[in-house]
């Protein structure tokens, strides 16, 4: 999973740069700065950023926002479920932070083709840090023809330092939306 | 009153004892399994329970027992097979490094790769785990290819051994695990709220809400789906409820969905709303035919969404991720936004039980908060706050009732939303994340931990009476 920026194609870096732009938008709205873009055939077809504070729904991660945009768009265009599944199977996700367990499970359910992420998420990560949902089911064909977890290709460490520094800045300035008692402002760096 | 004869075998510290007892109730739709079984000084013990009839459940691991009620979690095979080999201690470093590269023990991080065994005469031998073995086939040929190469080149001799699938959640459990193969144990840095016991009133309300969830699950047109009911246990009120909406769903208008309860019933403190009375449930007509239709539960087959052609042909909206728990979380967030539109003004009154956030401020405080008594004080405080309309942070302090054990996505969503306790009725062997496939309540790295309870209900409650 380890990857170094030197190995990345210019496209990969460009898409990750767009994801970081999304993370900065989140930061501007006082949200935890995580952003993503979804790419199909070399084109960005959706972007998303964290909206957990605004919605008061802690599941509104950047990935979920972008996925919802696509589902709505494709349904408006009259695509069937099978066609949508086919679409997702050709999509690449670029996200600034490793997808959490929930998002990794969602990406597996949708059957995404590939995920590239920035920094690892050692509290919640579902693509290697805590669980390894990108590997799919560890017990293949356990039950008779019932579809098991789908895996996806996953590459981490792309522009990780930029992603981390956004998060660090956010936490250092203190999360003004965190309920009291929240962490003291600008006293502690996160890790 | 019908009695059920059961035989119980308890294993603590390697000693096992068996005794027989009988349950005062036979579980039926209206009569849940409620009984006095065994009182343990520990709230959490390892125990094997054989229910001789009625249930096909065999080993029940990790059972919580209270003075009036049994709930249990995690009934599933908690053991996996691995290939292991005796190795020359000189090779230990090299082999471990190579093995960690080619066959990392994903999802078995608590299992130690290497084991030192004391032999007679003061000698020791080193054993190392090579890789996972398949469940049924223990032949060496099934070994991962690159591990087999390593195995051949170092002329190792492999055998199958068993290790525990999940990290231990108590010292007693860990000691048991280490008899099988050493694991690492990190004492929980969290406090499992709300499992100090259920009194008669609490257990009645647990069953009422679970029945409500079951009825909701069956309320569709013949298709049983999963259902989720978020409850504020301090006032015994439903905060939000939802069914699976992967096939069709109502687009939220005014930031609320159709299943969102009106705020006045949500905040009203009147007794009539405290417990969902049995007679408010949809009444069952005369039984003519029982029909079992359970495949509609999204959490059971999350990957199947694209195969299901539209169940309701006229619905234009569908969403593969709108499982009941996700929708219920959305409803409770919508309710929160509506009840407390101005976040800033309420900030002073809002309270917070998030140990992670508070813990970062001072280590001493953290110790305090993890103390059970202190948490109970906080809980009491919390209850008091409701009357002055303090806004809970996300779903802190709330319970959720689910008919089926949630899948990984939903279980993690409930971590994010800070649900305090999860009650579910039926396991989800395919995709369940509370013991069946994963066990999120035992992942110590997460910043929030809920307590998980299974409410034993007979499967017949799922039957749709036509």
């Amino acid at each position: 999973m380890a990857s170094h920026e030197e190995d990345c194609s210019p496209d990969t870096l460009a898409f990750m740069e767009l994801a970081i732009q999304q993370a900065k938008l989140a930061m501007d709205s006082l949200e935890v700065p995580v952003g993503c873009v979804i790419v199909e055939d070399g084109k960005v077809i959706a972007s998303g950023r964290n909206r957990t504070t605004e919605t008061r729904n802690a599941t509104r991660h950047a990935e979920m926002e972008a996925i919802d945009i696509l589902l709505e768009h494709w349904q408006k265009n009259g695509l069937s479920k099978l066609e949508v599944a086919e679409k997702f199977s050709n999509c690449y996700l670029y996200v600034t932070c490793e997808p959490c367990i929930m998002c990794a499970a969602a990406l597996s359910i949708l059957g995404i083709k590939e995920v590239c992420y920035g920094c690892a998420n050692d509290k919640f990560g579902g693509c290697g840090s805590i669980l390894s949902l990108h590997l799919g089911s560890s017990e293949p064909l356990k039950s008779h023809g019932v579809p098991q977890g789908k895996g996806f290709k996953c590459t981490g460490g792309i522009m990780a330092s930029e992603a981390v520094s956004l998060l660090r800045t956010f936490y250092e300035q203190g999360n003004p939306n965190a309920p009291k008692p929240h962490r003291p402002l600008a006293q502690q760096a996160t890790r | 009153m019908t009695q059920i004869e059961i035989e119980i075998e308890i294993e603590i510290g390697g000693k096992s004892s068996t005794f027989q007892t009988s349950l005062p109730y036979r579980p039926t739709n209206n009569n849940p399994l409620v009984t006095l079984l065994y009182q343990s000084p520990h709230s959490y013990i390892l125990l094997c329970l054989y229910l001789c009839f009625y249930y096909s459940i065999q080993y029940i691991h990790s059972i919580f027992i209270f003075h009036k009620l049994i709930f249990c979690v995690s009934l599933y095979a908690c053991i996996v097979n691995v290939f292991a080999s005796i190795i020359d201690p000189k090779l230990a470093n090299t082999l471990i490094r190579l093995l960690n590269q080619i066959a990392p023990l994903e999802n078995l991080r608590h299992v130690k790769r290497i084991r030192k065994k004391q032999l007679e005469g003061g000698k020791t031998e080193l054993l190392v785990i090579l890789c996972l073995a398949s469940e049924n086939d223990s032949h060496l040929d099934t070994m991962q290819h690159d591990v087999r190469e390593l195995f051949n080149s170092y002329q190792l001799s492999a055998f199958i051994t068993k290790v525990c699938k999940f990290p231990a959640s108590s010292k007693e459990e860990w000691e048991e695990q280490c008899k099988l193969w050493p694991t690492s144990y990190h004492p929980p840095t969290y406090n499992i709220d709300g499992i100090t016991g259920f009194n008669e009133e609490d257990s009645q309300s647990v069953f009422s809400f679970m029945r409500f969830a079951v009825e909701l699950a069956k309320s569709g047109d013949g298709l049983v789906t999963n259902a989720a009911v978020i409850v504020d246990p301090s006032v015994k009120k439903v905060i939000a409820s939802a069914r699976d909406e992967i096939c069709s769903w109502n687009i939220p208008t005014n930031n609320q969905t159709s299943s969102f309860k009106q705020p006045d019933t949500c905040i009203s403190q009147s007794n009539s709303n405290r417990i969902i009375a049995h007679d408010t449930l949809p009444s069952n007509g005369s039984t003519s035919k029982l029909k079992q239709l359970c495949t509609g539960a999204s959490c059971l087959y999350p990957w199947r969404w694209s195969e299901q052609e539209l169940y309701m042909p006229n619905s234009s909206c569908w969403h593969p991720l709108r499982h009941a728990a996700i929708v219920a979380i959305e409803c409770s967030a919508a309710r929160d936004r509506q009840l407390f539109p101005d976040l800033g003004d309420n900030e002073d009154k809002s309270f917070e039980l998030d140990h992670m956030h508070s813990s970062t401020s001072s280590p001493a405080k953290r110790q305090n908060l993890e103390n059970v008594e202190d948490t109970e004080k906080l809980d009491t405080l919390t209850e008091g706050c409701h009357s002055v309309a303090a806004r809970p942070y996300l779903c802190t302090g709330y319970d959720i009732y689910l008919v089926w054990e949630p899948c990984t996505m939903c279980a993690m969503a409930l971590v994010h939303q800070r649900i305090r306790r999860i009650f579910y009725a039926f396991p989800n062997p395919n995709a369940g994340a509370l013991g069946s496939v994963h066990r999120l309540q035992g992942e110590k790295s997460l910043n929030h931990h809920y307590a998980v309870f299974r409410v034993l209900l007979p499967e017949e409650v799922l039957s749709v009476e036509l």
Side-chain angles (χ1 to χ4, degrees):
Chain A
M1 211 172 328
S3 167
H4 302 288
E5 270 153 52
E6 308 86 71
D7 308 336
C8 293
S9 75
D11 278 357
T12 300
L13 294 176
F15 290 134
M16 191 57 85
E17 181 57 49
L18 291 173
I20 287 183
Q21 290 304 323
Q22 288 294 315
K24 285 179 179 160
L25 286 179
M27 176 105 99
D28 292 343
S29 310
L30 307 177
E31 299 273 359
V32 176
V34 177
C36 74
V37 293
I38 296 180
V39 172
E40 183 195 30
D41 298 331
K43 288 193 193 85
V44 173
I45 52 170
S47 60
R49 54 118 173 140
N50 232 348
R51 278 183 201 276
T52 55
T53 305
E54 174 195 330
T55 56
R56 302 187 207 171
N57 180 342
T59 70
R60 297 314 300 169
H61 290 182
E63 298 92 321
M64 296 301 210
E65 292 283 324
I67 288 165
D68 281 4
I69 291 172
L70 288 182
L71 281 167
E72 197 186 326
H73 179 70
W74 287 335
Q75 280 178 61
K76 262 187 196 151
N77 291 353
L79 267 62
S80 72
K81 290 187 177 183
L82 275 173
E83 288 166 330
V84 166
E86 174 70 23
K87 282 268 197 193
F88 275 119
S89 72
N90 287 312
C91 282
Y92 296 74
L93 171 77
Y94 295 82
V95 57
T96 55
C97 183
E98 177 188 350
C100 77
I101 290 169
M102 172 188 74
C103 292
L107 293 164
S108 159
I109 290 171
L110 297 174
I112 200 145
K113 185 185 178 89
E114 199 172 325
V115 171
C116 297
Y117 66 79
C119 58
N121 181 343
D122 54 15
K123 280 206 175 67
F124 308 120
C127 299
S129 291
I130 308 301
L131 295 185
S132 295
L133 300 171
H134 63 295
L135 299 179
S137 171
S138 51
E139 295 159 58
L141 306 173
K142 185 176 78 180
S143 39
H144 357 279
V146 174
Q148 298 292 299
K150 289 182 196 164
F152 47 85
K153 193 181 167 206
C154 196
T155 314
I158 299 159
M159 298 174 72
S161 54
E162 285 90 332
V164 168
S165 86
L166 278 176
L167 288 165
R168 189 166 289 149
T169 310
F170 178 78
Y171 284 113
E172 274 173 7
Q173 77 192 19
N175 180 353
N177 294 307
K180 284 175 184 175
H182 56 70
R183 72 184 72 227
L185 299 185
Q187 282 183 5
Q188 272 177 289
T190 48
R191 282 177 288 119
Chain B
M1 213 176 281
T2 321
Q3 304 264 319
I4 305 175
E5 290 294 324
I6 63 163
E7 187 181 87
I8 298 172
E9 186 182 309
I10 299 176
E11 278 184 38
I12 302 172
K15 286 179 198 162
S16 103
S17 60
T18 307
F19 65 90
Q20 289 182 335
T21 185
S22 54
L23 304 184
Y25 300 135
R26 176 172 175 161
T28 66
N29 285 3
N30 302 320
N31 222 352
L33 179 63
V34 178
T35 188
L36 171 66
L37 257 190
Y38 177 73
Q39 271 187 297
S40 156
H42 308 109
S43 64
Y44 185 84
I45 56 169
L46 259 187
L47 172 141
C48 295
L49 171 70
Y50 303 94
L51 289 180
C52 293
F53 81 67
Y54 210 86
Y55 293 111
S56 55
I57 300 167
Q58 280 194 328
Y59 290 80
I60 299 190
H61 259 277
S62 316
I63 191 160
F64 291 103
I65 296 191
F66 307 106
H67 66 289
K68 266 291 184 188
L69 191 59
I70 322 172
F71 290 106
C72 52
V73 294
S74 171
L75 314 188
Y76 292 92
C78 293
I79 283 170
V80 282
N81 286 338
V82 293
F83 284 113
S85 169
I86 298 175
I87 58 162
D88 180 351
K90 286 174 198 157
L91 291 174
N93 276 337
T94 320
L95 281 174
I96 295 288
R97 208 185 57 242
L98 288 170
L99 283 168
N100 280 339
Q101 275 168 13
I102 59 178
L105 295 177
E106 297 287 350
N107 299 337
L108 284 179
R109 288 157 190 277
H110 59 287
V111 175
K112 301 213 164 153
R113 189 106 209 189
I114 201 156
R115 174 182 200 174
K116 199 179 210 175
K117 220 174 181 177
Q118 295 289 340
L119 299 177
E120 284 177 37
K123 285 181 188 167
T124 58
E125 69 180 10
L126 281 186
L127 302 163
V128 65
I129 295 178
L130 300 171
C131 61
L132 279 174
S134 84
E135 222 165 290
N136 336 315
D137 193 358
S138 59
H139 198 269
L140 287 181
D141 290 348
T142 62
M143 200 188 282
Q144 199 181 315
H145 179 69
D146 36 7
V147 176
R148 199 140 50 105
E149 280 183 357
L150 185 87
F151 172 82
N152 290 334
S153 61
Y154 286 91
Q155 299 190 324
L156 305 174
S157 63
F159 58 92
I160 294 267
T161 190
K162 292 180 188 306
V163 301
C164 289
K165 193 170 174 183
F166 301 114
S169 47
S170 68
K171 191 158 169 284
E172 290 78 12
E173 192 182 351
W174 173 62
E175 282 165 358
E176 281 304 306
Q177 287 194 346
C178 289
K179 288 176 188 159
L180 214 55
W181 183 280
T183 58
S184 50
Y185 171 59
H186 303 275
T189 55
Y190 52 89
N191 162 41
I192 305 172
D193 269 349
I195 54 165
T196 47
F198 290 92
N199 59 28
E200 188 69 34
E201 192 198 344
D202 288 345
S203 44
Q204 279 312 309
S205 103
V206 163
F207 281 109
S208 298
F209 287 124
M210 186 53 89
R211 268 203 303 269
F212 180 66
V214 168
E215 294 304 326
L216 186 62
K218 299 195 297 185
S219 64
D221 295 334
L223 183 74
V224 180
T225 69
N226 204 354
V229 180
I230 296 178
V231 169
D232 180 347
S234 65
V235 289
K236 295 192 168 61
K237 224 166 269 142
V238 174
I239 298 294
S241 62
R243 308 178 72 218
D244 288 332
E245 294 185 355
I246 70 164
C247 287
S248 75
W249 59 295
N250 303 300
I251 298 166
T253 50
N254 284 340
N255 284 338
Q256 71 180 64
T257 70
S258 59
S259 45
F260 169 49
K261 306 266 169 187
Q262 289 307 303
D264 55 332
T265 60
C266 290
I267 52 170
S268 112
Q269 298 261 346
S270 71
N271 274 345
S272 59
N273 277 330
R274 285 173 67 95
I275 301 182
I276 294 149
H278 189 236
D279 57 8
T280 63
L281 297 176
S283 61
N284 296 325
S286 60
T287 312
S288 54
K289 200 177 179 183
L290 292 175
K291 200 175 172 191
Q292 198 91 20
L293 280 165
C294 300
T295 51
S298 313
C299 284
L300 291 177
Y301 306 103
W303 297 280
R304 267 192 181 169
W305 61 274
S306 62
E307 296 167 19
Q308 299 157 342
E309 262 323 308
L310 292 179
Y311 183 72
M312 288 163 226
N314 55 348
S315 70
S316 55
C317 277
W318 45 269
H319 194 306
L321 306 179
R322 287 182 70 82
H323 295 193
I326 301 284
V327 181
I329 287 172
E330 187 181 283
C331 294
S332 79
R335 170 187 178 273
D336 184 63
R337 292 195 303 268
Q338 191 162 73
L339 287 183
F340 307 99
D342 196 344
L343 194 62
D345 284 357
N346 281 294
E347 203 179 348
D348 289 342
K349 289 182 202 158
S350 70
F351 56 86
E352 155 72 329
L353 297 174
D354 184 343
H355 296 183
M356 180 209 173
H357 280 240
S358 50
S359 69
T360 49
S361 50
S362 95
K365 196 170 176 183
R366 177 184 185 160
Q367 292 301 323
N368 259 339
L369 275 171
E370 277 156 10
N371 182 297
V372 176
E373 281 180 19
D374 278 17
T375 308
E376 277 169 1
K377 276 180 214 154
L378 268 177
D379 282 350
T380 321
L381 193 72
T382 304
E383 284 172 32
C385 284
H386 280 275
S387 53
V388 293
R391 188 179 70 91
Y393 176 58
L394 302 174
C395 286
T396 305
Y398 292 169
D399 297 338
I400 192 167
Y401 292 79
L402 292 161
V403 178
W404 274 277
E405 180 189 359
C407 69
T408 309
M409 175 182 71
C410 293
M412 189 62 199
L414 296 169
V415 172
H416 286 315
Q417 201 69 7
R418 312 298 168 91
I419 284 281
R420 179 186 181 219
R421 300 186 297 186
I422 298 178
F423 298 88
Y424 72 87
F426 301 103
N428 177 355
N430 248 341
L434 302 179
S436 294
V437 179
H438 298 291
R439 190 168 173 271
L440 293 195
Q441 68 269 40
E443 292 291 344
K444 68 180 175 61
S445 78
L446 303 182
N447 67 345
H448 173 76
H449 296 88
Y450 36 62
V452 176
F453 303 90
R454 182 174 169 204
V455 178
L456 292 175
L457 292 178
E459 276 187 27
E460 288 86 276
V461 300
L462 295 175
S463 307
V464 179
E465 288 161 13
L466 297 174

